Amino acid sequence: MTTSKEQETIQQQFKERMDEDELMNCMRCGFCLPACPTYVESGYKEEHSPRGRLALMKAVIDGDIELDKDVENSLDMCLGCRACEPVCPAGVNYGHLLEEARDTIHQNKKHSLLVQTTRKSAFYGLFPHQNRMRSLTGFLSFYQRSGLQKAFHKTKLNHLLPENLSSIEKVLPKVPTRKEMKDRPSYVPAVSTAKKRVAFFHGCLMDTMFRQTNDATIQLLKLAGCEIVIPQDQACCGALHAHSGEKDGAKELAKRNIIAFEKLKADYIITNAGGCGAFLIDYDHLLKDDSEWADRAKQFTECIKDISSILVELDFHKRSLHLQEQIITYQDSCHLLNVMKTSNEPRILLKAIDNVEYREMEKADSCCGSAGIYNIVETEMSMKILDSKMVNVKETQAVTIVTANPGCLLQMKLGIEREGLSDSIRAVHIVDLLLEATNSK
């Protein structure tokens, strides 16, 4: 329970930090409702819709309600997929409002010592430091390669884990060793004459747990005619910080990345993870109130481009691409689609592969239920959304599900595992599939 004084403080900070004009732009028309996965899967509960959450934010500002556990649960239940934004006739920037509300709540919340320590260790002791990320991933690699994982499953100790964590442990990718995660070169030349000079944002999890996908990204960029610069001093994008109420930490990481990339004079900054790309492209909003950084952030965001967009721009889809005969489908990354507005390019590339039948999945643009760590902290809702997604997957009869974001990739693998389809369906990142199609004879 919070005291009346604490409620006054929270209300005042909501007033100071929330954009009331943006809140008032919501016309309560309801166009967002069918686009919202949590509204649909909750049985059409208004408090789990974008319109309902905006009404709760406004009610807290006006003092009509207190920011109690029910309000907090409503905001926490949101995936942050931002599918409501493209369908909103008023153009409400819901994602920005949600982030501000969550940050205000968490900055005024009294966490237990354990939660405080965990958050500080993860957000400030781990993610901003790539060497520590490599060390942690190295332990996971040892667990996978040493026989410990096999023993863990053989003795059924994995059953002691919560069901969702046990399932996630099964679908984690085979990660490289600490030795294999050495620093990347700062410059990689194009295979032939360079058409573009690009900088590569390799991310934190992408360059450790999903390093093979980053390797494939660099290879595709080389083949497409890009010379690649890779700043060694780049940092985590800060998305997890901002989505979890650690906005100041996100701002510091944003500044580090702007410094690292602005000196490279690249045509584009390339990303291969929809979640990272969407947050990078929002740096101008994140730093809009900082006079020293606002213009630099805007210049940075204007350079962000997804790997699929640069490949189409450079006619990679006109190359000889070939795979064994199969049906494939594509699951949109919410942030790649709704924030970076990249939808056609992945499909153009996939449809260009010889011997492959592309089948569009029903509601491919609807969230899969991953959303960072959402499938861990909001497991029940996440699995409801995933189960609905897998119904649509099975209707395509695809044997390969293609994604463009690591969280989506793990979630689709989790869905395959839950359905007992591991022997007949696979999930892959689009760049891994494209490199496979390039190398296939």
Side-chain angles (χ1 to χ4, degrees):
M1 291 286 292
T2 54
T3 65
S4 57
K5 182 65 175 177
E6 288 169 337
Q7 283 293 336
E8 287 177 14
T9 301
I10 291 173
Q11 181 190 2
Q12 184 60 36
Q13 290 201 13
F14 259 64
K15 282 183 177 180
E16 293 173 356
R17 297 183 56 176
M18 302 294 291
D19 187 336
E20 285 197 70
D21 289 338
E22 192 70 50
L23 278 171
M24 291 301 295
N25 282 339
C26 177
M27 302 181 296
R28 311 291 188 262
C29 65
F31 276 83
C32 60
L33 300 182
C36 178
T38 56
Y39 175 73
V40 173
E41 295 296 340
S42 69
Y44 309 106
K45 292 181 179 179
E46 183 72 13
E47 66 268 27
H48 292 319
S49 73
R51 181 178 68 181
R53 292 181 179 111
L54 292 174
L56 290 174
M57 295 177 201
K58 185 67 169 65
V60 171
I61 290 174
D62 293 341
D64 294 334
I65 62 172
E66 291 188 346
L67 203 160
D68 58 14
K69 198 66 178 174
D70 289 338
V71 175
E72 188 177 343
N73 287 342
S74 172
L75 298 181
D76 286 343
M77 187 68 72
C78 181
L79 291 148
C81 68
R82 296 172 71 168
C84 51
E85 294 185 5
V87 299
C88 177
V92 175
N93 289 307
Y94 172 84
H96 295 162
L97 292 168
L98 177 69
E99 247 172 43
E100 203 67 54
R102 282 177 169 172
D103 190 63
T104 303
I105 291 169
H106 281 283
Q107 294 311 313
N108 288 278
K109 190 172 182 178
K110 293 181 179 179
H111 294 293
S112 68
L113 181 60
L114 176 61
V115 171
Q116 288 181 47
T117 303
T118 302
R119 288 176 67 90
K120 185 175 181 180
S121 298
F123 292 127
Y124 299 98
L126 179 61
F127 285 108
H129 306 283
Q130 195 65 3
N131 281 337
R132 296 176 189 176
M133 290 290 294
R134 290 173 185 167
S135 296
L136 181 63
T137 310
F139 284 121
L140 177 58
S141 176
F142 175 77
Y143 165 72
Q144 291 176 332
R145 295 166 186 260
S146 65
L148 283 175
Q149 186 176 37
K150 287 183 179 179
F152 190 60
H153 286 268
K154 189 174 181 179
T155 58
K156 301 188 183 304
L157 288 174
N158 57 313
H159 293 168
L160 298 177
L161 293 173
E163 183 180 354
N164 62 321
L165 291 180
S166 177
S167 299
I168 290 171
E169 185 268 342
K170 289 180 184 177
V171 301
L172 289 176
K174 295 297 181 185
V175 300
T177 64
R178 179 70 174 84
K179 185 177 180 180
E180 290 169 335
M181 288 184 282
K182 58 182 181 297
D183 286 336
R184 294 191 178 279
S186 57
Y187 177 80
V188 179
V191 169
S192 55
T193 303
K195 301 174 186 176
K196 294 288 182 182
R197 176 180 170 87
V198 302
F200 179 44
F201 181 82
H202 58 53
C204 49
L205 280 175
M206 284 303 300
D207 214 40
T208 49
M209 190 175 294
F210 297 91
R211 193 175 178 91
Q212 180 180 340
T213 300
N214 271 3
D215 292 341
T217 301
I218 292 171
Q219 187 64 23
L220 291 180
L221 289 171
K222 286 171 54 180
L223 292 172
C226 295
E227 60 172 338
I228 310 156
V229 285
I230 308 171
Q232 302 297 308
D233 49 352
Q234 63 179 286
C236 167
C237 69
L240 281 177
H241 294 70
H243 300 331
S244 302
E246 297 287 347
K247 200 169 183 179
D248 286 343
K251 288 180 179 180
E252 289 307 309
L253 291 169
K255 292 172 184 178
R256 282 176 58 183
N257 281 322
I258 291 169
I259 292 171
F261 282 90
E262 66 185 355
K263 59 192 176 186
L264 301 177
K265 308 300 181 186
D267 297 312
Y268 303 119
I269 299 170
I270 302 299
T271 70
N272 60 6
C276 294
F279 194 69
L280 294 172
I281 212 169
D282 251 357
Y283 275 6
D284 57 343
H285 173 77
L286 183 68
L287 298 172
K288 64 181 174 61
D289 296 324
D290 191 321
S291 58
E292 181 184 349
W293 290 92
D295 287 342
R296 294 167 73 178
K298 183 172 176 53
Q299 292 175 26
F300 177 91
T301 60
E302 289 172 349
C303 294
I304 303 297
K305 190 180 284 284
D306 182 67
I307 176 67
S308 63
S309 295
I310 184 68
L311 291 179
V312 170
E313 180 179 328
L314 297 178
D315 293 330
F316 192 85
H317 55 295
K318 296 180 181 178
R319 297 172 60 96
S320 176
L321 302 172
H322 181 87
L323 287 173
Q324 290 185 344
E325 186 175 350
Q326 60 187 282
I327 299 170
I328 65 175
T329 193
Y330 177 67
Q331 165 61 29
D332 282 289
S333 156
C334 294
H335 289 105
L336 183 61
L337 172 68
N338 299 321
V339 183
M340 297 185 73
K341 313 300 182 187
T342 302
S343 172
N344 291 333
E345 292 88 337
R347 290 168 169 83
I348 290 171
L349 291 163
L350 294 175
K351 291 175 182 178
I353 304 173
D354 293 335
N355 218 32
V356 158
E357 179 185 348
Y358 177 82
R359 290 187 185 173
E360 187 69 27
M361 186 198 313
E362 184 180 354
K363 297 184 179 179
D365 58 351
S366 178
C367 186
C368 65
S370 172
I373 60 172
Y374 187 93
N375 55 7
I376 297 174
V377 298
E378 299 289 349
T379 303
E380 183 179 355
M381 177 59 71
S382 176
M383 293 304 102
K384 283 183 179 180
I385 294 168
L386 178 58
D387 290 344
S388 295
K389 178 65 63 177
M390 291 308 297
V391 171
N392 295 333
V393 167
K394 287 186 284 188
E395 287 178 352
T396 68
Q397 298 182 309
V399 298
T400 300
I401 309 168
V402 185
T403 73
N405 187 62
C408 302
L409 179 60
L410 287 181
Q411 185 78 340
M412 297 317 298
K413 287 186 174 185
L414 183 57
I416 293 169
E417 177 73 23
R418 282 169 61 85
E419 295 290 333
L421 297 172
S422 299
D423 293 334
S424 57
I425 301 180
R426 64 172 177 160
V428 298
H429 193 287
I430 187 170
V431 299
D432 293 314
L433 188 74
L434 289 173
L435 187 59
E436 181 184 335
T438 302
N439 296 334
S440 183
K441 301 295 183 182

